């Protein structure tokens, strides 16, 4: 019993101890409730402050594109989870709902106390964690965003720019690796690529792992460009690091990008990507480059796959942009006409429109608008911001020009009126006269001048003119050129008053410009009626342009006396009747232009102008060429076109011009005399002595100028030859020979067999227009076994022939074995090309193109058989307005017909207005290379030589919908496969 009692006693004691300990713990928890509640309230205030600080730091970091540390994100989530419990506890305290002291509520009281205790522990833990990351909420190694927004104006609503943006996006999608965006300074290249960048940012799926933007600028510093790329990649920038070391780090980093786009803005010269540290598209398949530049040549140097030129705004966009910058004032009734005129002066260039629009914003006085317009028209940069924001940026393009005299050549272009179509030939002539380009070249050689013009066009300083072989200056570029040349100190200082409506020139125009320092003077394109009747001191001026002043009828004697250094004097398109004697004092004059001076009847003795190289007398009324002209030992160009009153050129004048290279007398009243016609006037015989130096010759005769068997090899030395032979009844024969292209018009070929063969034998391309005797000439060729292997193109226009009636004999060999192009126009008696081909012995093995128009008797093009089985190299067939044509090829019965396609390489087929046409080919024949089909008014054609296989080569089928619907096919699948390529018209 004692043992049991002892055991029970021990058990009771142990249980009592445990119970007391548990009761004590719970009692402590229960009795600490009030102090814990106070602690929760106090600690929560600290935590709330810390929450606000962390959230502020996080929001700021996110705005900067930084990634938040994962522990910070977890901490904020834990805080958010804790908050409802704390709010409930603190709410009870606020509402004074204290737990009951009743013994029956001890259990609830304990649970509440325990909850408060846990909450306090969690608050303390969160405060402790917050201390550990100590305000550093950003990841130590940031991952850059794929695309960062770049601030800039939107192009929304600008149709022209939006189309270009779509073109760039498409080019990226189509796999172009290097894209060059080029155009005039201020045209909006940077704005466009900024919009591209920001569109990529909005894209639902990112095509690139990262898009990098770097500004290059004119005076490029490679390390600065590297720094921009490194910062975008979140690489550490070490300023003491070498370019080579930085390039290595950039290269290694970019190699790890699967796809990236590098945008290089404002590039002025080639940048080596290896030096920069960028793996190019050749070594990194995911690399794409876009660059912007004013210079197309830079795009080429950077080996771009595609160059996209950015054009100026259209008129509507220009007006909208101006109104956006100028505000509602531009719509006021009295201001709107002036505002529209100002926009016109800005010539749709965004930079100019923005600058001028901002300068005129909210200006309501009409006088201010009138003044601004006047300043723009005078090319004076007095409007606020124009010089700094428009002129100086555009001058960078001028400053970047490299090469001998190219800057001077560019400034020459501003001498012409605004929007003037400058003839390239005139421009090159002026440049050469001033020694800006090679004087030693043949005068007609334009290569150097054209190369220089292309350079200026690629720099966006010149653009194509509205007419062929012309250029023009953008109005704002011209204004900048005038601004530069008005203060130039390098031989280009100019007084430019062209195209501004002047009625007279005052002495003040010169005195205001310090006339003795002027190098060039232009009053072109005004309404000037008189010039100052006094000596103007312009002792340095080498150029004086007075052309296109139709009312000017007199040049005062004294006016030119102060221009003793003139090299170019242009009085074209004025009403002058004579030249002052003072012109003879211009001992350095190189170019004298008097074209279209329709009242000019006589010239002074110009022999005292020893350096004169160009004398232009087109469209004047001179009646004879002064004898003294023979003393112009440097004269290289003499133009007498359309001098219908010219009747006399004395013998020896032309032959004594030892440097003469170009003599042009198109539609002149003077004809060179032939043998037996000598009457004291210049003869063709004496002109022959000049053939070794002449390169351009355009003259007339009253008959054929050479003997039947005369050597005509001198013609090959000409770059251009036009000979006109006047015949009885007022008709005339013309022979034009221009660099192996020959055109013979209105000649009886049967009377010219002895020499006509020379032109066939020495031409690559030959045109016969309205010539008779074609059959007789060909028969003469056949009899002499002639063959013209050099002739590749033959064009016969309206030449009557008896071949269609079965006349003529056939050649024993192919007269034109290398003919590639055959064109027939208005050959009324020809039934088929085969009649002509058989006569010439032609197999057409080299023929690439056939074009036939207005041949009403033709029923088919060619007969197929033993003579011609296929046309193996024919690529183009065009037939129009042949009203009786029924088919292209006639398969002769009894002849061996090749199973191969008649035209295995045909790519282009055009048939128009062939009302009887029915058949293209044999029923089972297909043309495997056909790409374009164009059919119009050929309702009888029901089958095309196409199958499903053509869907891989065909690009376009054009025709009427009714014709397409009526076509017959071997199966529906063929029509279905070709339907996407049909475009109704």
């Amino acid at each position: 019993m004692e043992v049991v009692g002892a055991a029970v006693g021990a058990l009771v004691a142990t249980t009592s101890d445990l119970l007391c300990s548990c009761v004590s713990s719970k009692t402590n928890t229960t009795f600490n409730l009030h102090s814990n509640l106070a602690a929760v309230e106090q600690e929560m205030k600290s935590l709330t402050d810390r929450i606000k600080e962390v959230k502020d730091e996080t929001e700021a970091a996110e705005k900067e594109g930084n990634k938040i540390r994962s522990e910070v994100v977890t901490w904020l989530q834990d805080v958010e989870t804790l908050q409802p419990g704390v709010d409930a506890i603190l709410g009870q305290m606020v509402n004074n709902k204290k737990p009951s002291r009743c013994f029956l509520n001890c259990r609830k009281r304990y649970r509440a106390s325990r909850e408060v205790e846990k909450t306090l522990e969690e608050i303390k833990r969160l405060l402790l964690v917050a201390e550990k990351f100590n305000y550093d909420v950003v990841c130590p190694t940031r991952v850059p965003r794929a695309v960062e927004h770049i601030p800039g104006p939107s192009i929304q609503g600008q149709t022209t720019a939006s189309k270009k943006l779509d073109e760039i996006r498409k080019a990226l999608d189509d796999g172009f690796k290097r894209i060059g965006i080029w155009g005039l300074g201020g045209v909006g290249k940077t704005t466009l690529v900024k919009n591209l960048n920001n569109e990529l940012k909005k894209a639902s799926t990112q095509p690139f792992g990262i898009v990098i933007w770097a500004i290059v600028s004119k005076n490029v510093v490679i390390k600065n460009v590297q720094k921009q790329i490194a910062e975008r990649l979140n690489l550490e920038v070490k300023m003491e690091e070498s370019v080579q070391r930085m390039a290595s780090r950039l290269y290694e980093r970019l190699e790890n990008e699967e796809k990236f786009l590098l945008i290089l803005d404002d590039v002025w010269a080639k940048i080596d990507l290896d030096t920069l540290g960028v793996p190019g598209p050749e070594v990194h398949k995911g690399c794409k480059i876009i660059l912007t530049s004013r210079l197309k040549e830079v795009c080429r140097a950077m080996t771009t796959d595609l160059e996209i030129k950015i054009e100026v705004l259209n008129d509507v966009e220009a007006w909208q942009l101006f109104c956006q910058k100028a505000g509602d004032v531009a719509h006021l009734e009295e201001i709107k006409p002036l505002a529209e005129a100002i926009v016109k002066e800005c010539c749709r260039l965004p930079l100019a429109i923005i600058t001028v629009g901002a300068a005129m914003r909210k200006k309501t006085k009409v006088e201010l608008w009138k003044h601004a317009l006047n300043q723009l028209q005078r090319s004076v940069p007095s409007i606020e911001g124009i010089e700094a924001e428009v002129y100086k940026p555009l001058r960078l393009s001028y400053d970047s020009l490299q090469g001998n005299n190219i800057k001077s050549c560019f400034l020459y272009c501003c001498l012409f009126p605004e929007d003037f179509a400058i003839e390239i030939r005139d421009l090159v002539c002026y440049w050469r006269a001033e020694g800006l380009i090679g004087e030693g070249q043949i005068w007609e050689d334009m290569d150097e001048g054209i190369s220089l013009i292309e350079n200026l066009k690629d720099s966006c300083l010149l653009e194509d003119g509205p007419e062929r072989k012309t250029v023009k200056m953008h109005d704002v570029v011209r204004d900048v050129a005038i601004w530069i040349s008005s203060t130039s100190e390098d031989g280009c200082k100019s007084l430019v008053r062209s195209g501004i409506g002047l009625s007279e020139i005052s002495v003040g125009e010169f005195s205001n410009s310090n006339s003795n320092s002027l190098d060039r003077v232009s009053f072109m394109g005004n309404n000037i009626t008189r010039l100052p009747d006094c000596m103007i001191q312009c002792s340095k001026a080498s150029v004086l342009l007075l052309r296109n002043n139709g009312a000017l009828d007199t040049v005062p004697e004294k006016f030119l006396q102060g221009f003793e250094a003139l090299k170019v004097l242009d009085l074209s398109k004025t009403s002058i009747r004579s030249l002052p004697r003072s012109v003879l004092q211009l001992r350095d004059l190189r170019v004298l232009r008097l074209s279209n001076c329709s009242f000019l009847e006589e010239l002074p003795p110009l022999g005292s102008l020893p350096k004169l190289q160009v004398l232009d007398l087109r469209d004047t009324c001179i009646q004879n060429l002064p004898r003294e002209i023979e003393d112009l030992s440097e004269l290289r160009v003499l133009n007498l076109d359309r001098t219908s009153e010219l009747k006399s050129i004395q013998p020896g004048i032309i032959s004594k011009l030892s440097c003469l290279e170009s003599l042009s007398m198109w539609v002149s009243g003077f004809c060179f005399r032939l043998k037996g016609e000598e009457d004291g006037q210049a003869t063709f015989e004496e002109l022959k002595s000049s053939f070794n130096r002449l390169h351009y010759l355009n003259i007339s005769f009253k008959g054929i100028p050479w003997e039947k068997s005369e050597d005509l090899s001198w013609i090959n030395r000409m770059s251009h030859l036009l000979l006109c032979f006047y015949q009885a009844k007022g008709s005339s024969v013309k022979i034009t020979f221009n660099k192996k292209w020959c055109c013979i018009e209105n000649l009886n070929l049967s009377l010219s067999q002895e020499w006509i063969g020379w032109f066939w034998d020495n031409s690559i391309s030959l045109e016969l227009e309205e010539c008779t005797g074609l059959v007789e000439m060909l028969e003469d060729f056949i009899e002499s076994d002639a063959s013209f292997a050099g002739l590749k193109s033959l064009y016969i226009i309206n030449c009557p022939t008896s071949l269609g009636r079965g006349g003529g004999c056939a050649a024993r060999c192919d007269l034109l074995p290398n003919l590639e192009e055959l064109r027939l126009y208005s050959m009324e008696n020809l039934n088929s090309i085969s009649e002509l081909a058989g006569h010439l012995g032609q197999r057409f093995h080299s023929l690439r193109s056939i074009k036939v128009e207005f041949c009403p008797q033709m029923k088919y093009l060619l007969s197929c058989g033993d003579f011609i089985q296929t046309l193996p190299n024919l690529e183009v067939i065009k037939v129009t307005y042949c009203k009786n044509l029924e088919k292209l090829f006639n398969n002769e019965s009894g002849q061996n017909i090749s199973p191969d396609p008649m035209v295995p390489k045909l790519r282009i087929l055009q048939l128009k207005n062939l009302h009887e046409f029915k058949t293209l080919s044999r029923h089972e024949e297909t043309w495997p290379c056909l790409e374009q089909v164009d059919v119009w008014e050929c309702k009888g054609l029901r089958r095309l030589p196409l199958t499903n296989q053509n869907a891989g080569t065909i690009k376009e089928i054009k025709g009427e919908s009714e014709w397409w619907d009526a076509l017959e096919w071997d199966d529906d699948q063929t029509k279905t496969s070709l339907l996407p390529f049909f475009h109704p018209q």
Side-chain angles (χ1 to χ4, degrees):
M1 284 294 290
E2 290 180 1
V3 173
V4 172
V8 170
L11 179 61
V12 169
T14 301
T15 302
S16 175
D17 290 343
L18 288 171
L19 180 61
C20 287
S21 174
C22 180
V23 169
S24 174
S25 173
K26 289 188 176 183
T27 301
N28 288 337
T29 296
T30 302
F31 283 98
N32 286 338
L33 176 60
H34 289 290
S35 62
N36 284 344
L37 282 171
V40 165
E41 185 175 20
Q42 186 63 37
E43 294 292 334
M44 195 60 197
K45 286 180 181 178
S46 299
L47 182 62
T48 301
D49 292 341
R50 192 71 185 94
I51 291 169
K52 185 177 185 306
E53 290 170 354
V54 172
K55 282 188 174 181
D56 288 346
E57 289 286 325
T58 303
E59 287 175 5
E62 285 179 334
K63 285 178 181 177
E64 293 176 3
N66 298 320
K67 188 176 180 181
I68 308 304
R69 293 169 62 177
S70 58
E71 54 264 46
V72 175
V73 174
T74 303
W75 186 85
L76 288 169
Q77 290 171 346
D78 290 347
V79 166
E80 193 173 342
T81 303
L82 174 68
Q83 193 72 48
V86 174
D87 290 344
I89 291 169
L90 296 178
Q92 282 186 337
M93 292 180 64
V94 170
N95 296 324
N96 209 19
K97 293 180 179 178
K98 298 179 180 178
S100 171
R101 293 180 181 272
C102 176
F103 180 78
L104 295 174
N105 288 328
C106 283
R107 195 171 176 183
K108 283 185 178 181
R109 182 180 176 83
Y110 170 75
R111 285 202 300 266
S113 297
R114 183 67 184 140
E115 188 65 34
V116 171
E117 195 173 66
K118 286 182 179 178
T119 300
L120 181 60
E121 290 172 358
E122 179 64 7
I123 293 172
K124 288 180 177 179
R125 183 188 73 79
L126 289 172
L127 284 169
L128 187 63
V129 171
E131 284 180 16
K132 287 182 180 178
F133 55 71
N134 191 27
Y135 297 96
D136 189 5
V137 300
V138 177
C139 285
T141 55
R142 293 182 293 156
V143 177
R145 290 185 178 185
V147 189
E148 286 186 341
H149 179 83
I150 299 176
S154 171
I155 60 169
Q156 188 173 0
Q158 295 182 19
T159 307
T160 304
S162 296
K163 285 181 179 178
K164 289 296 180 183
L165 183 59
D166 291 343
E167 188 177 345
I168 298 169
R169 289 293 301 268
K170 186 175 186 301
L172 287 172
D173 294 341
D174 289 348
F176 287 98
K177 298 289 188 179
R178 297 176 185 242
I179 302 170
I181 313 296
W182 70 288
L184 177 63
V187 81
K189 303 180 294 296
T190 299
T191 297
L192 189 65
V193 287
K194 281 182 177 179
N195 277 262
L196 170 68
N197 178 89
N198 296 340
E199 270 204 11
L200 290 173
K201 187 177 190 301
K202 297 174 188 174
S204 54
T205 56
Q206 291 294 341
F208 301 101
I210 189 167
V211 178
I212 305 165
W213 175 286
I215 300 171
V216 179
S217 300
K218 188 173 189 296
N219 300 312
V220 59
V221 177
I222 290 295
K223 194 155 190 179
N224 289 346
V225 182
Q226 289 179 324
K227 179 175 179 288
Q228 295 175 70
I229 298 172
E231 288 175 346
R232 180 70 181 89
L233 294 168
N234 293 337
L235 287 179
E236 183 184 359
V237 177
K238 304 172 183 177
M239 294 314 294
E240 71 281 359
E241 192 173 34
S242 69
V243 168
Q244 292 78 8
R245 176 58 190 145
M246 174 71 90
S248 297
R249 289 202 297 128
L250 289 175
Y251 198 98
E252 290 172 7
R253 171 67 179 80
L254 287 170
E255 273 190 317
N256 294 326
E257 287 289 344
E258 185 179 351
K259 291 182 179 181
F260 70 90
L261 171 64
L262 174 61
I263 301 175
L264 297 172
D265 187 37
D266 198 21
V267 183
W268 288 81
K270 179 183 176 182
I271 295 178
D272 184 71
L273 294 181
D274 289 332
T275 303
L276 197 60
V278 176
E282 299 77 17
V283 295
H284 191 308
K285 300 302 181 185
C287 165
K288 293 196 177 184
I289 310 284
I290 290 178
L291 64 96
T292 73
S293 179
R294 299 186 189 185
L295 311 171
K296 190 177 184 181
E297 188 55 42
V298 169
C299 298
R300 295 193 187 112
M302 293 287 289
T303 62
T304 48
D305 308 315
L306 177 68
E307 295 87 37
I308 299 175
K309 185 177 182 182
I310 307 304
E311 306 290 353
V312 294
L313 305 174
N314 62 40
D315 290 331
V316 173
E317 292 167 341
W319 174 248
Q320 289 174 344
L321 181 60
F322 183 81
C323 293
Q324 179 186 330
K325 298 300 175 182
D328 294 339
V329 67
H331 294 285
L332 295 177
E333 185 178 354
E334 65 276 19
I335 286 176
K336 186 175 181 180
L338 296 168
E340 289 172 339
I342 285 174
V343 173
K344 187 174 183 295
E345 287 297 319
C346 293
C347 207
R348 300 178 290 164
L349 184 68
L351 179 62
I353 293 168
I354 290 167
T355 304
V356 177
M360 302 308 294
R361 188 170 184 81
K362 295 186 178 180
K363 290 185 178 179
T364 56
K365 288 189 176 182
V366 174
E367 293 81 3
L368 296 176
W369 287 81
K370 286 181 178 179
H371 178 69
L373 177 59
N374 179 262
Q375 297 301 293
L376 286 171
Q377 290 172 337
R378 289 171 54 88
S379 306
V380 178
S382 61
I383 297 174
E384 182 183 349
I386 279 286
E387 182 172 332
E389 296 178 34
V390 180
Y391 281 25
K392 286 185 178 178
L394 287 178
R395 179 169 181 146
L396 287 175
S397 295
Y398 167 81
D399 291 335
S400 71
L401 292 174
Q402 296 180 347
N404 294 334
N405 299 318
I406 189 170
K407 291 181 179 178
S408 184
C409 289
F410 162 69
L411 295 178
Y412 217 109
C413 301
C414 75
L415 301 177
F416 298 86
E418 188 175 287
D419 295 322
F420 190 83
I422 309 169
E423 289 191 29
I424 292 174
R425 184 173 293 275
D426 290 351
L427 199 53
V428 173
C429 173
Y430 294 148
W431 289 345
R432 187 173 279 146
E434 287 215 67
L436 299 176
I437 60 175
E439 288 186 270
Q441 299 174 348
I442 298 169
W443 197 267
E444 287 300 315
D445 186 355
M446 305 281 287
D447 293 350
E448 183 182 358
I450 289 174
S451 174
L452 195 150
I453 286 169
E454 289 302 311
N455 193 338
L456 291 172
K457 284 161 64 174
D458 288 349
S459 302
C460 294
L461 295 175
L462 279 184
E463 52 192 59
D464 289 322
E467 301 160 18
R468 188 170 169 264
K469 296 184 179 180
T470 66
V471 291
K472 66 185 288 287
M473 289 186 103
H474 186 283
D475 290 0
V476 177
V477 173
R478 178 177 177 270
D479 290 344
V480 173
I482 292 172
W483 172 62
I484 294 170
S485 62
S486 65
T487 57
S488 175
E489 299 296 334
D490 55 1
C492 303
K493 187 173 182 181
S494 304
L495 172 61
V496 183
R497 306 289 280 130
S498 54
I500 59 174
L502 289 178
S503 58
E504 62 177 286
I505 299 175
S506 67
V507 177
E509 293 281 359
F510 292 93
S511 59
N512 292 339
S513 304
N514 188 11
S515 61
N516 262 329
S517 67
L518 292 173
D519 299 291
R520 297 166 182 170
V521 178
S522 176
F523 287 93
M524 277 182 64
N526 286 296
N527 303 311
I528 295 169
T529 58
R530 62 190 182 91
L531 302 172
D533 191 5
C534 62
M535 188 169 72
I536 304 294
Q537 287 295 341
C538 282
S539 56
K540 282 183 61 185
S542 60
V543 181
L544 176 59
L545 305 183
L546 291 165
R547 65 189 279 188
N548 290 75
N549 284 285
L552 181 63
D553 59 6
T554 304
V555 179
E557 190 69 39
K558 295 179 182 178
F559 178 71
L560 291 176
Q561 290 176 353
F563 286 89
E564 61 263 30
L566 277 188
K567 293 181 180 178
V568 175
L569 175 59
D570 193 340
L571 291 162
S572 302
K573 295 187 179 179
T574 62
S575 296
I576 61 171
R577 298 177 181 275
S578 62
L579 287 173
R581 303 284 298 184
S582 54
V583 77
L584 304 178
Q585 301 169 15
L586 306 177
R587 307 285 293 175
D588 207 27
L589 194 65
R590 315 291 174 85
V591 174
L592 178 58
R593 300 198 63 183
L594 302 167
S595 63
N596 295 94
C597 294
S598 54
F599 296 101
L600 183 63
E601 296 180 351
E602 60 180 359
L603 298 171
L606 299 175
S608 60
L609 302 176
K611 295 185 179 180
L612 193 65
Q613 296 177 344
V614 176
L615 179 57
D616 187 353
L617 297 168
R618 287 174 293 167
D619 289 287
T620 60
C621 288
I622 63 167
Q623 299 177 19
N624 61 78
L625 206 60
R627 183 87 222 181
E628 293 79 7
I629 283 181
E630 67 183 22
D631 296 326
L632 299 176
S633 57
E634 296 291 323
L635 194 68
R636 300 173 74 173
V637 177
L638 177 58
N639 196 323
L640 296 165
D641 288 346
R642 297 183 297 277
T643 49
S644 56
E645 301 299 318
L646 182 62
K647 304 301 180 190
S648 175
I649 299 178
Q650 297 177 50
I653 294 179
I654 303 298
S655 58
K656 287 183 180 178
L657 298 173
S658 57
C659 289
L660 192 66
E661 297 175 9
S662 173
L663 175 62
S664 188
M665 299 178 64
W666 183 64
V667 197
S668 172
F670 183 82
C671 292
F672 282 86
R673 292 355 185 215
L674 303 177
K675 285 183 179 180
E677 296 180 342
E678 294 87 348
D679 58 356
Q681 298 297 323
T683 66
F684 180 63
E685 200 63 30
E686 72 169 85
L687 195 60
K688 289 181 181 179
S689 64
S690 305
F691 286 168
N692 63 333
R693 58 180 181 271
L694 279 170
H695 294 276
Y696 188 104
L697 183 61
N698 185 340
I699 54 175
S700 302
F701 314 93
K702 291 183 179 178
I704 304 297
W706 43 68
E707 302 293 337
K708 291 184 177 181
S709 58
E710 187 168 337
D711 179 17
L712 301 180
S713 59
W714 57 271
I715 294 176
N716 271 326
R717 293 196 293 273
M718 300 282 177
S719 60
H720 176 88
L721 174 73
L722 195 159
L723 303 176
C724 183
F725 317 144
Y726 289 106
Q727 299 176 324
K729 300 179 182 178
S731 62
S732 62
V733 174
K734 292 178 184 174
I735 295 181
T736 307
F737 194 83
N738 190 352
K739 298 177 181 177
K740 297 292 184 177
W741 171 82
C742 180
C743 179
I744 301 173
E745 302 175 48
N746 207 29
L747 178 67
N748 186 341
L749 301 170
S750 65
L751 301 178
S752 314
Q753 296 97 324
E754 291 84 355
W755 56 267
I756 196 68
W758 186 93
F759 290 98
W760 282 72
D761 200 29
N762 287 273
S763 300
I764 292 176
S765 177
L766 176 64
E767 294 184 13
L768 303 176
E769 184 172 349
E770 298 187 350
C771 293
T772 57
L774 177 63
V775 174
E776 291 81 359
M777 178 192 67
L778 294 178
E779 289 178 349
D780 187 66
F781 290 160
I782 292 167
E783 290 175 8
S784 61
D785 286 329
S787 180
F788 308 112
L791 193 65
K792 294 186 177 181
S793 174
L794 179 61
Y795 187 10
I796 305 177
I797 306 167
N798 194 19
C799 294
T801 172
S802 59
L803 289 171
R805 296 191 293 273
C809 58
R812 291 179 290 276
C813 63
D814 195 337
L815 264 66
L816 306 174
N818 297 313
L819 190 70
E820 296 180 2
E821 180 185 26
L822 177 62
R823 296 177 66 189
L824 302 174
Y825 184 94
S826 192
M827 298 290 286
E828 295 191 357
N829 296 323
L830 198 64
N831 290 321
S832 79
I833 296 176
S834 288
E835 294 174 347
L836 182 62
H839 210 65
L840 294 171
Q842 286 182 280
R843 272 53 171 185
F844 290 136
H845 289 157
S846 301
L847 195 65
R848 296 180 181 276
S849 174
I850 293 176
K851 186 173 182 179
V852 181
E853 299 175 273
F854 294 98
C855 295
Q857 299 303 316
M858 191 172 287
K859 294 188 177 180
Y860 54 88
L861 290 188
L862 286 162
S863 289
C864 305
D866 292 335
F867 197 64
I868 297 176
Q869 293 231 338
T870 64
L871 300 171
N873 291 298
L874 191 67
E875 297 180 4
V876 179
I877 294 178
K878 294 183 179 182
V879 187
T880 59
Y881 292 99
C882 296
K883 62 182 182 180
N884 286 308
L885 192 78
E886 297 177 1
K887 50 189 172 182
L888 291 186
F889 307 114
N890 182 44
N891 296 314
E892 299 176 2
S893 58
Q895 298 288 332
N896 294 322
I897 306 299
S898 170
D900 299 325
M902 185 66 186
V903 284
K905 292 185 179 179
L906 193 75
R907 295 184 303 104
I908 299 171
L909 175 66
Q910 185 181 94
L911 305 172
K912 294 188 177 183
N913 293 88
L914 310 177
H915 300 299
E916 301 298 322
F917 193 78
K918 297 179 177 63
T919 307
L920 277 176
S921 62
R922 291 169 291 178
H923 181 82
E924 69 281 4
E925 188 175 337
T926 60
W927 295 348
C929 296
L930 202 57
E931 296 176 2
Q932 297 179 26
V933 177
D934 189 355
V935 178
W936 181 258
E937 291 291 333
C938 303
K939 294 182 172 58
L941 179 62
R942 289 287 181 264
R943 295 186 67 87
L944 296 177
L946 301 174
T947 64
N948 286 333
Q949 285 68 37
N950 288 100
T953 58
I954 202 78
K955 295 179 179 177
E956 185 178 50
I957 302 174
K958 294 166 67 177
E960 303 104 320
S961 296
E962 296 84 353
W963 166 77
W964 172 261
D965 292 337
L967 283 174
E968 299 171 1
W969 307 91
D970 290 334
D971 55 69
D972 292 337
Q973 188 178 356
T974 299
K975 182 176 182 178
T976 302
S977 64
L978 296 174
L979 184 59
F981 304 101
F982 175 65
H983 301 115
Q985 57 181 3

